[in-house]
Amino acid sequence: MGLLTNPTSRATIVGSITRHNNKICFLCYVVGLSWFLALAYQELNAGTYFSENALLPGLVRSQFYGDSEAEGYYSQLKSELNKDKNIMPVKWIYNQFMDLGLDVYIHNFTFRYPLKIFGEKQIPGQNVYAIMRASRAASTEALVLTVPFRTVTTVMDKTHGGLALMLTMANHFRKSSYWAKDIIFVVTEHEYIGMQAWLDAYHETKSELISSNSLEGHGGSIQAAINLEVPTNKISSFDFRLEGLNGQLPNLDLFNLVVRISRQEGFDVLLKEQHDPYHPETFEGYLQNLKTMFLMMWTQAPGSANNNHGVFLKYNIEALTLVGKKEKGKHAQGYGPMGRTVEGIFRSLNNLLERFHQSFFFYLLPSTSRYVSIGLYMPPFAIMVAGSLIKAVAMWISCTETVEEGVSTEKEKKETDQANGESVQKNEVKDHKEEKEEERKGLLSVIPILFITQLFGLLAYFSPDFFVDLGMPLHLHVAEAVHYGMLALFLSSLAMPRFLKRSLSEKSRPDWKLLKCVSLIVQGLVLFSIALMNISLAFFLAAVMVPVCVAMWPSNNRVVQILHASFLLLISPFLLLYITVVANQMMTEKVADVASLLVQSWDHMKTPLILGMVESQLLGSWTYCVICLGIFPNWLAFWCLIWIGS
């Protein structure tokens, strides 16, 4: 504290930061990025453990031996689906639950896609749900087992095996008397939209685009949910899906529970279809852990719901998805081990005395047995972003020094004028006016730029409906209209600084140092705010934006100016989305050549763009809003800096 309170020491520290700010910023970025990537190494993260002792995983003797019954359900379901491959067999599912003696209901709902994707058409849907009442307690708490129904003709993985398993588990659970919580079995139509409609009705909330009937039957307050996506009657492993809406994750204890029970029943456990390394302490093991952690962050960053479990998390209900996989060369197991896995999970959840709260809600997973908590990943992230704030401080000090030098010069001139016998009063009035003018320029010169950049962000957020209406007379599909409309808006934002520069006089142009200072501070605040909820999105944005934005300055050298503009274009939201699609295509599909990869990626770019807008209005996703109102205006301020400030 003495160093900070001593004026001489403080001046020395400030002077050192100002002189060496570029080196400090570079060092912070490299150290923060390297430290963050090193967290995948086993010695720098922690092993998973149970914080909630009441779960008591695997301590009970399994009683499920309904293999043949599940096979029977699976055969009946396949026969039923052959009658009509494009329709959910609502009546058949309803009758199966009724035969088990459960409280069964059909939930009808309709929804309308935003942006007039199907015009004003209301798309109907039906969910079937059954409630098994707790036999040892009042219906104050509940657990949910869900299966999204997928038709035979869908391109997605089927879930027929999971539906047969659900019916079998419902029959098995009702025979036991130890249940202290209601168990609700839900079969949804239209993936997570049907799940959202059911949850809205369950919690009696309203949605502008989803309208549903009130539920005839209710259970208790939902404590946890498991979503089953099992394609066939035999699988070799379970792959776990955790990421939910806006990057939310379930409590780590729930993940540890399903991993422990799945391993106990002999299944291989996967995370992002990746196996845990056999030798995690080796360099190969570190690379495998890094790949797994990267894939998890890659899925979490967009903030999409992904599966049925994703919409539970926004209601403070811990949920995840179990995806059955049948790997080549691996021993496949039938419904017996699958049923015992589900039974073990639900019997452990039945032991809960309160909601999940003791373990972590913010974490990253390099493997199924290791985790990186928020206390481990925030320090390197903070150091990586600290370069923006250090550079902003240096810019501010530079601005104040310039003002002080100007004041000193005016004083010297004033003393000289006095010595020459000139009018002191006139000079004082003149000095006062010039001082006010400089102050006004410093404080107010950047406000028009910030206002215009924020205006472009608002246009990007509210204009998709306008682009759709504009594309209708031209017979453009909704995706094409939005895509080309956003491209036109982006190109107009690129041209904006040139027109603005021509309209501003030399004296009215903004102080570029002050503009950069404010923009860097805003960037740091936005990135830290995103990191509190979705560390993956914040990390990827910081990794590409921080070094480029810190290094930007207006230059009269044409080559340097074009170089800066090229780097800024690469980190623009529009091109970042395109680069992300290219990278995703490379990871998921085999492409013959680079040209076809670029063309396909440009065409596929419409999908995440539309999906972000749809989930923003339909499910309440924040990603599109954050990009339009936070990232895009901030990037545009740096784009103005290199053109107007030169």
Side-chain angles (χ1 to χ4, degrees), residues 537-559:
L537 178 60
F539 172 78
F540 287 130
L541 289 173
V544 296
M545 293 188 70
V546 168
V548 176
C549 294
V550 167
M552 288 296 107
W553 79 89
S555 175
N556 292 320
N557 187 318
R558 195 65 177 173
V559 176

Side-chain angles (χ1 to χ4, degrees), residues 439-461:
E439 182 181 358
R440 189 182 300 111
K441 179 181 177 181
L443 294 176
L444 302 180
S445 62
V446 299
I447 293 180
I449 302 296
L450 298 177
F451 175 78
I452 293 173
T453 57
Q454 200 63 43
L455 181 61
F456 269 92
L458 290 170
L459 287 174
Y461 183 69

Side-chain angles (χ1 to χ4, degrees), residues 86-102:
N86 297 312
I87 296 178
M88 175 177 168
V90 174
K91 190 173 182 180
W92 182 84
I93 299 172
Y94 180 88
N95 290 333
Q96 299 305 314
F97 280 123
M98 281 292 292
D99 292 342
L100 298 178
L102 304 180

Side-chain angles (χ1 to χ4, degrees), residues 293-311:
M293 188 173 78
F294 173 82
L295 290 174
M296 178 188 175
M297 295 175 67
W298 188 262
T299 309
Q300 183 189 21
S304 298
N306 293 314
N307 303 85
N308 270 8
H309 77 275
V311 293

